[in-house]
Amino acid sequence: MKKLLLSFLLTQCMLVSAQTETLVTPNGKKVKVNITPQWELNGNTNNELKKLGTKDAFDLPVITNDTEKMRITTDGQVLINTDKSLNGGNNAKLQINNGTTNGALQIVDGTQGEGRILTSDANGVATWVAPIAAASFMAPPGVQMDLVYDHFTYSGRSLTLGKGSWIIYLTDRTGNWTPSTANEFNYGELVAGWSSSSTVFTPSSIFANAGHSCVSTQIIPQNKFLNFNYVFVVNVTKPVDTIYLWYQILGNVTTNIPFIYNGNGDSFSTAYGSLIAQKLY
């Protein structure tokens, strides 16, 4: 009888909940034993929501091989391979300390792939996406495009950009500038404009404060070449957006027809004109 009672008491020491019942031992002592179901090693059938954890201000550590491997803190942080919050991560709800070994985090959801970047949508749902390579255009050699005074002309060049912020570098060489008067204050303006259409000049909405165009002004030497350089920063909000480059000329230029010059097909031709976009973030 004593062995049976001792076995019963030892079993009840494993119980988690606080419901008890008073039993009387053979020697007349009254003892309280836990009679509520316990968390079993191979799992429970609870039939209702149950909780596992602490009821006071103490963290909940989890150990394997007698070593702590994970901890849920009273602040709601989940710490893996560390028993305290890492430096600079006091607000992070998940922290992993893998020492100096890389590859501490692995997410496999079907969108993963070599060189992909983890990004999120507006709701914070993360997926792996391929990085957007810098879109670029190099002006082909041996091509000239006549410019029109005070009127935009499509250059035949365009950029297709993915969502994000981009910086665009544009350079072109122009020729056949002839000033209207013979004085040192003659100037020429090459206006680069970005359109959402290749057939009609419609200022693109991705440029801030209607800054769809950029003017580069230079003093005109008689019948000389002029190099024009531009830098644009744009923010693309659509998944993909295509913009088309248009040009017009302004200034006191009333004779001859300036043109975009891209060389005569020699080895230096492509250096005269380029259109390059690089993603910032």
Side-chain angles (χ1 to χ4, degrees):
M1 179 66 183
K2 288 184 179 180
K3 289 183 178 180
L4 289 174
L5 179 60
L6 179 60
S7 176
F8 176 76
L9 293 175
L10 289 174
T11 300
Q12 299 309 310
C13 291
M14 299 173 61
L15 302 180
V16 175
S17 300
Q19 295 182 14
T20 61
E21 185 174 294
T22 301
L23 298 177
V24 180
T25 65
N27 60 7
K29 284 189 174 184
K30 294 182 178 181
V31 294
K32 289 185 176 181
V33 294
N34 199 324
I35 61 172
T36 55
Q38 71 272 15
W39 288 105
E40 298 181 0
L41 294 180
N42 292 320
N44 285 47
T45 301
N46 293 327
N47 297 319
E48 61 179 329
L49 182 65
K50 297 291 185 179
K51 297 177 181 178
L52 177 65
T54 63
K55 289 188 174 181
D56 47 15
F58 283 89
D59 297 345
L60 177 64
V62 178
I63 67 170
T64 63
N65 197 27
D66 201 29
T67 304
E68 181 177 328
K69 296 298 191 297
M70 186 177 75
R71 173 180 294 239
I72 301 176
T73 71
T74 56
D75 294 326
Q77 289 183 305
V78 177
L79 310 179
I80 298 177
N81 213 34
T82 179
D83 59 3
K84 56 182 176 296
S85 183
L86 302 177
N87 291 338
N90 292 333
N91 295 324
K93 291 305 180 183
L94 175 63
Q95 294 189 1
I96 302 173
N97 185 356
N98 210 35
T100 58
T101 304
N102 59 17
L105 180 65
Q106 182 177 8
I107 301 176
V108 177
D109 65 352
T111 64
Q112 76 279 356
E114 183 71 25
R116 291 205 158 199
I117 299 171
L118 190 65
T119 186
S120 73
D121 63 13
N123 296 317
V125 179
T127 55
W128 295 105
V129 298
I132 301 176
S136 64
F137 174 90
M138 296 298 293
V143 175
Q144 292 187 178
M145 183 189 77
D146 290 339
L147 301 170
V148 180
Y149 184 83
D150 199 22
H151 180 78
F152 275 110
T153 303
Y154 177 44
S155 70
R157 308 175 192 178
S158 64
L159 287 173
T160 299
L161 308 176
K163 187 175 182 179
S165 291
W166 294 78
I167 185 168
I168 301 172
Y169 303 95
L170 169 63
T171 180
D172 258 317
R173 194 181 196 199
T174 61
N176 206 33
W177 290 90
T178 303
S180 57
T181 59
N183 65 68
E184 59 179 325
F185 299 107
N186 285 299
Y187 66 95
E189 294 179 343
L190 181 64
V191 182
W194 293 100
S195 172
S196 57
S197 169
S198 62
T199 57
V200 178
F201 183 73
T202 305
S204 173
S205 60
I206 70 173
F207 291 82
N209 62 15
H212 58 270
S213 61
C214 185
V215 180
S216 183
T217 304
Q218 295 192 40
I219 300 296
I220 301 174
Q222 185 74 28
N223 293 320
K224 296 293 184 179
F225 293 106
L226 295 177
N227 292 325
F228 292 88
N229 301 284
Y230 308 84
V231 177
F232 304 87
V233 177
V234 297
N235 185 41
V236 180
T237 58
K238 300 178 183 178
V240 176
D241 205 339
T242 300
I243 52 177
Y244 303 88
L245 176 62
W246 292 60
Y247 278 124
Q248 71 169 327
I249 55 172
L250 297 173
N252 55 350
V253 182
T254 57
T255 61
N256 289 353
I257 301 176
F259 53 79
I260 298 294
Y261 177 77
N262 290 315
N264 297 316
D266 57 29
S267 59
F268 299 100
S269 296
T270 56
Y272 291 135
S274 65
L275 176 58
I276 301 173
Q278 183 171 355
K279 198 170 190 294
L280 299 175
Y281 54 87

